[in-house]
Amino acid sequence: MDEIPARNGEAAPQKGTVTQRAIEQIKALIGEGRLEPGERLPTERDLAARLGISRSSMREAIRALTVMGVLEARHGSGIYVTQLEAGDLLETFGVVADLSRGPRLAELLEVRRILESTATALAAARITPEQLAEVEKHLTAMNATDDPEEILAHDLAFHREITAAAGNDSMAAILEGLSSRTFRARVWRAYQEEGAFTRTRREHAAIHRALVAHDPEAARAAAAAHVGEVEQWLRGQAASPPARSTGDERPA
């Protein structure tokens, strides 16, 4: 590993706690290429001395960056920079979706509508025959059952295949967080009305037709309508107490 020069001549960030400044300094080392993905960090003592930070603050910074997926501890070997894959770095994004309620939940659906419609448009232009076959497999499975749990499982897989076909790992990682089973089940458990599954199947079929036609704009519109309908309903319900579950979850 290349020697990491001390930063005594550089102005340290002034915002936040000492631990937060330590986090920013380690991130800067990675961003500047002085620590590369997969590279082992200097010892806690050496790194603290070089950056002019106490060992306790350095320890807390390393712990926080490990939780974020930036660093990883290898037993008996030390602390390493991860490969910095989007899925690892954005994994904690799903926690926000799982814990949000009320207006924040509607905001997250708005984000999902924007990103998923874009991802579906990209997929329409890029999807391979093999990927399209997987999407169709899950669509067929959804249409073959009335069991809410099975529909929800295939719905998740349907959208996951489409997002993968878009070819953008960062977007896929964010949508994975927004599309966790816990998040969807909470939303659709509250959204219960006659004919929910019929509309869900119709909306999924429209997305599939656009993918088959390799029509990005039709795919974008179909995906936006699919998520947008529930988003608008949820905004109207934000001030109301959550509906009791009858087991009829409407996937999206």
Side-chain angles (χ1 to χ4, degrees), residues 141-153:
M142 277 189 281
N143 290 337
T145 182
D146 290 321
D147 182 276
E149 287 298 319
E150 289 186 24
I151 293 175
L152 185 58

Side-chain angles (χ1 to χ4, degrees), residues 22-84:
I23 290 170
E24 292 304 314
Q25 286 183 288
I26 295 173
K27 286 165 58 180
L29 292 174
I30 296 170
E32 294 163 5
R34 289 192 274 179
L35 284 171
E36 297 286 350
E39 188 172 350
R40 185 179 182 277
L41 263 67
T43 65
E44 179 185 289
R45 181 179 60 188
D46 287 348
L47 192 55
R50 292 175 189 179
L51 298 182
I53 294 169
S54 71
R55 289 187 64 182
S56 61
S57 294
M58 181 57 64
R59 187 177 305 116
E60 290 299 320
I62 289 173
R63 184 178 295 119
L65 288 167
T66 299
V67 172
M68 294 178 196
V70 176
L71 303 177
E72 62 177 335
R74 299 181 188 175
H75 183 68
S77 179
I79 306 296
Y80 289 77
V81 181
T82 68
Q83 292 303 315
L84 305 178

Side-chain angles (χ1 to χ4, degrees), residues 10-197:
E10 301 179 27
Q14 295 303 308
K15 291 184 178 181
T17 66
V18 175
T19 298
Q20 288 171 329
R21 293 199 296 270
I23 290 170
E24 292 304 314
Q25 286 183 288
I26 295 173
K27 286 165 58 180
L29 292 174
I30 296 170
E32 294 163 5
R34 289 192 274 179
L35 284 171
E36 297 286 350
E39 188 172 350
R40 185 179 182 277
L41 263 67
T43 65
E44 179 185 289
R45 181 179 60 188
D46 287 348
L47 192 55
R50 292 175 189 179
L51 298 182
I53 294 169
S54 71
R55 289 187 64 182
S56 61
S57 294
M58 181 57 64
R59 187 177 305 116
E60 290 299 320
I62 289 173
R63 184 178 295 119
L65 288 167
T66 299
V67 172
M68 294 178 196
V70 176
L71 303 177
E72 62 177 335
R74 299 181 188 175
H75 183 68
S77 179
I79 306 296
Y80 289 77
V81 181
T82 68
Q83 292 303 315
L84 305 178
E85 298 290 344
D88 296 329
L89 296 177
L90 295 169
E91 185 176 357
T92 55
F93 185 80
V95 176
V96 178
D98 286 344
L99 300 181
S100 294
R101 303 175 61 186
R104 182 61 55 83
L105 199 59
E107 288 179 0
L108 291 174
L109 265 181
E110 181 177 45
V111 174
R112 184 185 155 207
R113 171 174 53 81
I114 294 167
L115 292 181
E116 190 154 315
S117 59
T118 299
T120 306
L122 289 172
R126 300 171 178 176
I127 197 164
T128 67
E130 293 76 19
Q131 290 170 321
L132 193 55
E134 286 297 308
V135 171
E136 186 169 353
K137 179 182 75 175
H138 293 294
L139 178 64
T140 300
M142 277 189 281
N143 290 337
T145 182
D146 290 321
D147 182 276
E149 287 298 319
E150 289 186 24
I151 293 175
L152 185 58
H154 287 293
D155 170 73
L156 283 164
F158 176 89
H159 290 287
R160 190 175 290 125
E161 291 291 343
I162 293 172
T163 303
N168 186 311
D169 290 343
S170 297
M171 188 183 297
I174 295 172
L175 282 169
E176 183 69 20
L178 287 176
S179 304
S180 72
R181 189 183 186 89
T182 300
F183 177 75
R184 290 199 184 199
R186 285 178 57 214
V187 173
W188 310 139
R189 188 177 294 119
Y191 185 51
Q192 299 159 15
E193 60 180 276
E194 194 68 27
F197 286 169

